[in-house]
Amino acid sequence: MARVLVGVKRVIDYAVKIRVKPDKTGVVTDGVKHSMNPFDEIAVEEAVRMKEKKLASEIVAVSCGPAQAQETLRTALAMGVDRGIHVEISGPEYETLQPIHVSQILAKIAKDEKADLVIVGKQAIDDDSNQTAQMTAAFLDWPQGTFISKIEKTNGELKLTREIDGGLEMIKIKMPAVLSADLRLNEPRYATLPNIMKAKKKPIKKLSPKDLGVDTAARIEVVSVEDPPVRQAGSILADVDELVTKLKEGGHV
Ligand code: AMP
């Protein structure tokens, strides 16, 4: 049976309207609702379903981030993850943390924990990088299955369905492997109150990048962050004739 490692990132909640900081160095995070990255909820759900089907023996969730990352880990524990690892990174070090660092951290923990499968989300909705699964697989030299919408496990092999442009691709890979969860893989469960209570007793181990031998020095400098251009206001027209006239006037027809 497989030991599964899942990456869970704490991000600004998907429903929050993002505000850019006046000095354009980033977005406002203070006092803003944060949640588990939605694709990571899908990754956790899939791991929990594997455990329920007795395909996985143990699920370990990893979150790299400031103290509040523990809340994200607690949510994962309440969904059915067995234990958590908090790699504490905060302040300026967290501001410049990039997927390459997270990938090195996940790869090292995957080896230390003797994981057979690493599942991450296809992308974190804050930075939209879509790099962690790919680089984690590269660091481990394991096969990867990205944008996965279906997982079937046979003897030591995984039959995967990938969401690709305009269709689906079916592949087979051997474990150990790294997967990234796409939207249609499953619908994640909500943590129930009894499970939230139980999750409080589950262990969370704290580590630093240094403990794992990972250098988190920044490799990219963010020059500026800007709001998207403001859309011009539309106008309401009386009927189709007026629309056709306007389109003709504008040279669109
Ligand atoms: P990204 O490559 O940044 O778009 O992130 C892809 C996936 O990698 C996320 O959905 C998470 O599963 C994982 N990941 C990224 N950053 C972190 C983090 N700070 N802690 C834990 N997992 C992460």
Side-chain angles (χ1 to χ4, degrees):
M1 270 204 284
R3 174 171 292 149
V4 185
L5 199 70
V6 192
V8 293
K9 185 178 187 187
R10 175 179 178 266
V11 296
I12 294 182
D13 189 88
Y14 71 94
V16 169
K17 179 147 174 27
I18 303 291
R19 279 180 301 131
V20 172
K21 283 188 198 160
D23 66 3
K24 297 190 176 177
T25 55
V27 301
V28 178
T29 54
D30 283 351
V32 170
K33 184 179 179 215
H34 283 67
S35 308
M36 186 190 299
N37 183 46
F39 294 108
D40 304 356
E41 290 182 356
I42 297 173
V44 168
E45 175 67 34
E46 198 61 23
V48 173
R49 288 186 192 185
M50 287 180 87
K51 192 169 174 200
E52 286 167 349
K53 285 190 226 150
K54 309 242 180 295
L55 298 173
S57 53
E58 192 189 25
I59 312 165
V60 183
V62 180
S63 192
C64 313
Q68 299 94 317
Q70 295 226 1
E71 294 160 20
T72 310
L73 284 170
R74 287 286 165 213
T75 306
L77 296 172
M79 286 173 74
V81 165
D82 297 294
R83 57 191 171 89
I85 299 178
H86 176 208
V87 182
E88 192 162 24
I89 307 166
S90 57
E93 190 188 6
Y94 187 60
E95 275 169 33
T96 58
L97 192 78
Q98 282 141 21
I100 191 159
H101 307 127
V102 175
S103 304
Q104 281 171 305
I105 289 169
L106 289 179
K108 177 71 169 70
I109 295 176
K111 276 193 197 150
D112 290 351
E113 293 285 344
K114 299 193 172 45
D116 305 284
L117 201 57
V118 177
I119 314 180
V120 295
K122 75 162 174 180
Q123 80 194 55
I125 61 163
D126 50 1
D127 296 326
D128 279 345
S129 296
N130 174 15
Q131 296 173 9
T132 304
Q134 295 86 335
M135 286 198 278
T136 305
F139 283 124
L140 287 164
D141 197 17
W142 289 0
Q144 60 179 288
T146 50
F147 311 110
I148 299 303
S149 61
K150 194 170 178 194
I151 302 176
E152 289 161 279
K153 191 166 174 274
T154 53
N155 265 348
E157 240 183 21
L158 296 171
K159 236 178 94 188
L160 305 169
T161 304
R162 303 186 58 229
E163 302 243 343
I164 57 170
D165 243 10
L168 299 172
E169 181 184 57
M170 269 61 81
I171 58 169
K172 270 203 251 173
I173 62 176
K174 287 209 163 50
M175 291 214 287
V178 180
L179 308 181
S180 78
D182 212 320
L183 190 65
R184 276 168 281 270
L185 183 59
N186 59 51
E187 275 187 34
R189 70 195 64 191
Y190 290 105
T192 60
L193 193 59
N195 285 343
I196 293 172
M197 300 309 289
K198 264 193 245 162
K200 292 191 181 176
K201 294 200 191 92
K202 293 186 180 176
I204 295 181
K205 182 159 92 179
K206 217 155 98 174
L207 293 173
S208 71
K210 222 167 139 214
D211 294 332
L212 298 160
V214 175
D215 176 7
T216 54
R219 298 182 176 215
I220 295 175
E221 185 190 344
V222 175
V223 180
S224 110
V225 176
E226 314 217 351
D227 276 313
V230 181
R231 282 181 64 185
Q232 302 230 323
S235 51
I236 296 172
L237 306 176
D239 51 29
V240 174
D241 288 343
E242 196 184 341
L243 173 66
V244 173
T245 311
K246 287 251 181 202
L247 287 174
K248 279 186 180 157
E249 280 168 5
H252 298 296
V253 180

